[in-house]
């Protein structure tokens, strides 16, 4: 199977591209970590973002709120 065919089938099956799906999975995992009390910086690093600002930007665009709004625990 070609890469293009696989990409087309993935989009048909899941309604999004593989990179979109992967970002959604990473943001969901980040939400779990934040709910458990992890800091925004720790969470971004553990979920694979190179910088905290990139994590906050992607999280906000994908989730509709900042990661700090999802966080449980004392403020950073």
């Amino acid at each position: 199977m070609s890469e293009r065919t696989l990409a087309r089938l993935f989009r048909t099956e899941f309604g999004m591209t593989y990179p979109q799906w992967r970002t959604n999975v990473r943001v969901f995992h980040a939400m779990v970590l934040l709910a458990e009390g992890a800091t925004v910086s720790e969470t971004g690093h553990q979920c694979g973002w190179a910088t905290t600002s990139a994590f906050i930007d992607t999280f906000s665009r994908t989730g509709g709120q900042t990661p700090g709004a999802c966080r449980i625990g004392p403020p950073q």
Side-chain angles (χ1 to χ4, degrees):
M1 172 180 314
S2 74
E3 182 178 340
R4 185 172 168 89
T5 299
L6 183 59
R8 189 171 34 252
L9 289 171
F10 193 95
R11 185 171 186 81
T12 299
E13 189 68 27
F14 294 102
M16 63 186 79
T17 64
Y18 177 74
Q20 290 168 329
W21 175 84
R22 183 183 61 218
T23 298
N24 286 340
V25 169
R26 291 169 73 195
V27 167
F28 179 78
H29 181 64
M31 291 172 117
V32 171
L33 293 174
L34 291 166
E36 292 173 348
T39 67
V40 173
S41 297
E42 290 172 343
T43 301
H45 179 73
Q46 285 184 327
C47 292
W49 275 274
T51 64
T52 302
S53 61
F55 167 61
I56 292 169
D57 180 56
T58 302
F59 189 99
S60 299
R61 283 187 291 111
T62 304
Q65 60 185 357
T66 64
C70 288
R71 188 169 182 276
I72 302 298
Q76 305 193 95

